[in-house]
Amino acid sequence: MKLSLKPLDQQVIVLTGASSGIGLVTARLAAERGAKLVLAARNADALQQLAEEIRSQGGQAIAVPTDVSSEEAVNHLAAAAIAEFGTFDTWVNNAGVSIFGSTTEVSIPDMRHMFDTVFWGQVYGSRAAVQHFKERGQAGALVNVGSLFGDWPTPVQSTYASAKHALHGWTGALRMELEKEDAPVSVTLVHPGRIDTPYNEHARSYLDKQPSHRGMVYPPEAVGEAILFAAAYPKRDMYVGFQAKAFAVLAPIFPSLTDKVMELWMYPSQHDERPSRSRDDNALYEPGYGLHEHGTHHGWFRSGSLYVKAQERPLLALAAVAGLGLVATALLQQRK
């Protein structure tokens, strides 16, 4: 079945994790493009402020405080969207939190609770969205936000990587089942690279030094762009940053080499040179601070993702590459 999705300015979008980082940026971008928004997160005050901000600028948005680790709460979110707008057209599973610590140090209760949010929260949201799209019989988009660490594991964030691995596998299985039955659902998995959000400040830290991205870091707007493209155009995967695509393609081909690179680079590149926040000062069990788009990283900050642009316009990107090839060939011939 070839699916046709509504333009963004005709859509109702349910967005989890909307109070900060990627979710906050995506909400603002979607509102600018005319979408109606159902905003979900645990931080009720930040969520309400965001909804009021969007309404003050002529948009339409409601705030539905939601802890996605609860299936009942996620089902209530779906019901609230339908009660307010009559339907929803895109469901974005974005809520997440991380833990920085070794595999043998992080407590089992912490691991379980993080899985409740990062994996089970997306499962609950996916099932609610699929049920609605099937019942109404009109195509809708499900967008799950994964991670480059869902394509290849990393030390230091073992629990987060494991939850994202589970999410990637589950999303793929769901997509195949829906395609097999010709269900009216577009399923997209977004693979962000390292993104400049408060993710590091919200994480529970078992480290002596503060969690932080070091190295190439992409803006949350690049992820928001990928999410909203997938909301309007059926797409299997969206990679944010070439680093994310490189991990997905090259790591399975050179697994031992990739492991060695990760062992050398991931330990120093996941923390800053300052004392870590208290282990109790995080958003694992309680809402984190809201309305912040960016974090406190010290990496090489990119202004956007050319790889996202290339995925949005593959023929144009292919033509550009071919053009560069012709130019390079001509220059070589001139030298000869």
Side-chain angles (χ1 to χ4, degrees):
M1 177 189 296
K2 187 174 182 181
L3 299 175
S4 179
L5 303 173
K6 293 181 182 178
L8 285 177
D9 61 2
Q10 298 176 24
Q11 285 204 26
V12 176
I13 298 177
V14 178
L15 175 61
T16 70
S19 64
S20 71
I22 291 170
L24 176 60
V25 167
T26 303
R28 286 169 169 161
L29 287 174
E32 288 174 5
R33 298 178 189 185
K36 302 178 182 68
L37 288 158
V38 180
L39 306 168
R42 291 176 298 169
N43 189 326
D45 291 339
L47 210 60
Q48 188 59 46
Q49 288 182 54
L50 175 59
E52 291 172 359
E53 171 194 315
I54 290 171
R55 291 194 292 265
S56 72
Q57 296 172 357
Q60 296 185 58
I62 62 168
V64 185
T66 306
D67 183 344
V68 300
S69 67
S70 163
E71 184 176 12
E72 181 181 2
V74 172
N75 288 337
H76 173 264
L77 171 62
I82 295 168
E84 179 69 20
F85 295 112
T87 189
F88 57 83
D89 305 288
T90 293
W91 185 292
V92 182
N93 285 312
N94 167 71
V97 65
S98 188
I99 301 172
F100 286 72
S102 70
T103 55
T104 55
E105 184 182 16
V106 176
S107 74
I108 297 299
D110 283 358
M111 289 184 184
R112 289 185 183 278
H113 193 73
M114 205 210 68
F115 261 79
D116 285 341
T117 298
V118 175
F119 175 68
W120 286 108
Q122 298 219 31
V123 170
Y124 301 148
S126 297
R127 288 164 66 106
V130 167
Q131 178 181 342
H132 177 64
F133 296 146
K134 284 184 175 182
E135 287 176 351
R136 76 174 188 173
Q138 184 178 1
L142 169 64
V143 183
N144 286 344
V145 179
S147 169
L148 81 164
F149 294 142
D151 292 315
W152 200 259
T154 181
V156 182
Q157 290 189 80
S158 57
T159 308
Y160 180 79
S162 300
K164 290 296 187 181
H165 265 265
L167 172 66
H168 286 206
W170 192 85
T171 300
L174 173 65
R175 181 190 296 110
M176 288 185 283
E177 291 174 356
L178 293 172
E179 288 178 350
K180 177 67 174 176
E181 62 183 270
D182 286 333
V185 188
S186 169
V187 179
T188 301
L189 180 62
V190 179
H191 308 242
R194 287 175 152 185
I195 309 299
D196 179 23
T197 71
Y199 163 94
N200 63 318
E201 299 290 344
H202 291 169
R204 170 158 283 199
S205 174
Y206 283 73
L207 307 181
D208 294 329
K209 297 179 180 179
Q210 174 61 25
S212 176
H213 291 325
R214 306 185 74 171
M216 190 179 295
V217 183
Y218 290 87
E221 289 82 0
V223 189
E225 185 72 31
I227 289 170
L228 295 181
F229 183 80
Y233 302 96
K235 193 79 174 175
R236 185 184 191 279
D237 296 277
M238 288 292 291
Y239 293 88
V240 182
F242 180 75
Q243 61 182 212
K245 183 63 174 180
F247 263 80
V249 173
L250 297 178
I253 300 173
F254 306 104
S256 296
L257 177 60
T258 303
D259 285 351
K260 294 301 181 185
V261 171
M262 299 288 277
E263 290 164 17
L264 288 171
W265 177 237
M266 284 299 157
Y267 283 95
S269 72
Q270 296 192 76
H271 64 75
D272 224 337
E273 294 302 322
R274 55 191 165 107
S276 177
R277 294 160 69 100
S278 164
R279 189 174 299 179
D280 296 325
D281 184 7
N282 60 79
L284 182 60
Y285 293 97
E286 301 294 335
Y289 61 84
L291 300 181
H292 285 69
E293 294 182 350
H294 302 280
T296 58
H297 309 284
H298 290 86
W300 170 25
F301 293 95
R302 304 298 304 276
S303 60
S305 171
L306 292 175
Y307 202 83
V308 169
K309 299 297 184 184
Q311 291 168 101
E312 292 175 343
R313 300 171 180 84
L315 293 179
L316 183 61
L318 184 61
V321 171
L324 289 173
L326 291 173
V327 170
T329 301
L331 289 174
L332 286 172
Q333 288 177 344
Q334 284 181 355
R335 285 190 175 185
K336 290 179 180 179

